[in-house]
């Protein structure tokens, strides 16, 4: 399975030769597994999850079923609700568009359609950036901001991602998204919401 797995991920351009050698050089099996899974989560627009499930189905069908069932567990968005309203209503910047583009996985085009881009515009950007999908996503996010102006907020974008993710129609790395937005809020200096009105139930 190992050799087949590497070849499969090479073809999908998810794992490079250097990354493979780095992972294989780690001292323990657990560390190698952690590094490999981290790479899948950080693979951006490449369909790393789909490739991973494909290999599991061929060699460990029972495990593939367990993983797919676990994917159906609802994602908590409480972290975003806790961010200040002032930050949520902040317009995204070019720099943030670049960072946020790395959170998008397969079927990212559906997000752009939901944001108001036409299929023609999306296809044109994909063609212009044929060798750099992250660049295409970045450009489309910037164009969205230029068109929507003050309406192109973090709240609008995250709301769109939540809607599509709940329908399981796109793959979004919400862990990375959370880290990026929380870090940006800290940089801007907006005060976090207090828990005074909390029901005491942790999400």
């Amino acid at each position: 399975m190992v050799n087949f797995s590497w070849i499969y991920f090479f073809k999908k351009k998810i794992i490079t030769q250097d990354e493979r050698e780095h992972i294989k050089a780690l001292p323990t099996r657990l560390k190698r597994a952690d590094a490999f899974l981290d790479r899948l989560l950080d693979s951006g627009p490449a369909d790393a999850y789909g490739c991973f499930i494909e290999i599991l189905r061929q060699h460990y069908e029972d495990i593939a079923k367990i993983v797919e069932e676990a994917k159906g567990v609802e994602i908590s968005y409480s972290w975003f609700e806790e961010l200040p309203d002032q930050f949520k209503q902040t317009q995204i910047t070019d720099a943030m568009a670049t960072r946020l583009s790395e959170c998008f996985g397969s079927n990212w085009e559906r997000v752009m359609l939901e944001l108001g881009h036409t299929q023609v515009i999306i296809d044109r950007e994909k063609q212009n950036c044929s060798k750099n999908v992250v660049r295409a996503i970045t450009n489309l996010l910037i164009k969205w901001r230029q068109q929507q102006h003050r309406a192109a907020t973090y709240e609008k974008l995250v709301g769109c991602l939540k809607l599509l993710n709940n329908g399981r129609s796109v793959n979004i790395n919400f862990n990375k998204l959370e880290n990026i937005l929380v870090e940006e809020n800290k940089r801007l200096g907006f005060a976090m919401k207090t828990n005074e009105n909390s029901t005491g139930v942790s999400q």
Side-chain angles (χ1 to χ4, degrees), residues 98-144:
T98 300
R99 296 188 65 193
L100 292 170
S101 66
E102 298 177 359
C103 301
F104 289 66
S106 60
N107 297 327
W108 58 268
E109 297 91 340
R110 296 184 183 181
V111 177
M112 300 307 161
L113 289 170
E114 187 69 23
L115 292 177
H117 287 304
T118 65
Q119 190 63 55
V120 172
I121 294 296
I122 295 170
D123 290 342
R124 183 183 302 160
E125 199 62 53
K126 287 170 66 176
Q127 184 176 11
N128 292 340
C129 304
S130 59
K131 296 183 179 180
N132 192 337
V133 180
V134 170
R135 181 73 255 174
I137 296 172
T138 299
N139 291 345
L140 288 166
L141 286 175
I142 292 173
K143 288 180 179 179
W144 169 62

Side-chain angles (χ1 to χ4, degrees), residues 20-171:
R20 176 193 177 188
E21 295 304 321
H22 169 73
I23 293 171
K24 289 180 67 177
L26 294 174
T28 67
R29 187 174 183 178
L30 180 59
K31 288 185 177 181
R32 289 193 293 271
D34 284 344
F36 180 70
L37 291 175
D38 284 344
R39 181 65 192 97
L40 293 188
L41 291 174
D42 290 338
S43 62
D47 188 12
Y49 176 81
C51 293
F52 184 53
I53 292 298
E54 174 79 20
I55 292 173
L56 282 180
R57 283 200 194 105
Q58 294 184 32
H59 299 274
Y60 301 99
E61 187 173 354
D62 291 341
I63 296 177
K65 289 180 180 179
I66 293 173
V67 173
E68 290 191 289
E69 287 174 1
K71 192 188 178 191
V73 176
E74 185 175 352
I75 294 175
S76 172
Y77 304 103
S78 59
W79 62 269
F80 187 72
E81 299 303 321
E82 293 169 0
L83 289 173
D85 292 337
Q86 189 175 359
F87 174 76
K88 294 177 187 175
Q89 295 301 319
T90 299
Q91 186 182 38
I92 70 170
T93 62
D94 289 6
M96 282 298 288
T98 300
R99 296 188 65 193
L100 292 170
S101 66
E102 298 177 359
C103 301
F104 289 66
S106 60
N107 297 327
W108 58 268
E109 297 91 340
R110 296 184 183 181
V111 177
M112 300 307 161
L113 289 170
E114 187 69 23
L115 292 177
H117 287 304
T118 65
Q119 190 63 55
V120 172
I121 294 296
I122 295 170
D123 290 342
R124 183 183 302 160
E125 199 62 53
K126 287 170 66 176
Q127 184 176 11
N128 292 340
C129 304
S130 59
K131 296 183 179 180
N132 192 337
V133 180
V134 170
R135 181 73 255 174
I137 296 172
T138 299
N139 291 345
L140 288 166
L141 286 175
I142 292 173
K143 288 180 179 179
W144 169 62
R145 196 230 29 239
Q146 292 171 341
Q147 293 168 357
Q148 297 296 317
H149 303 290
R150 293 183 179 179
T153 63
Y154 295 117
E155 185 170 50
K156 175 68 176 179
L157 178 60
V158 172
C160 174
L161 298 179
K162 286 166 60 177
L163 175 66
L164 293 173
N165 184 71
N166 288 341
R168 307 300 172 190
S169 57
V170 297
N171 287 326

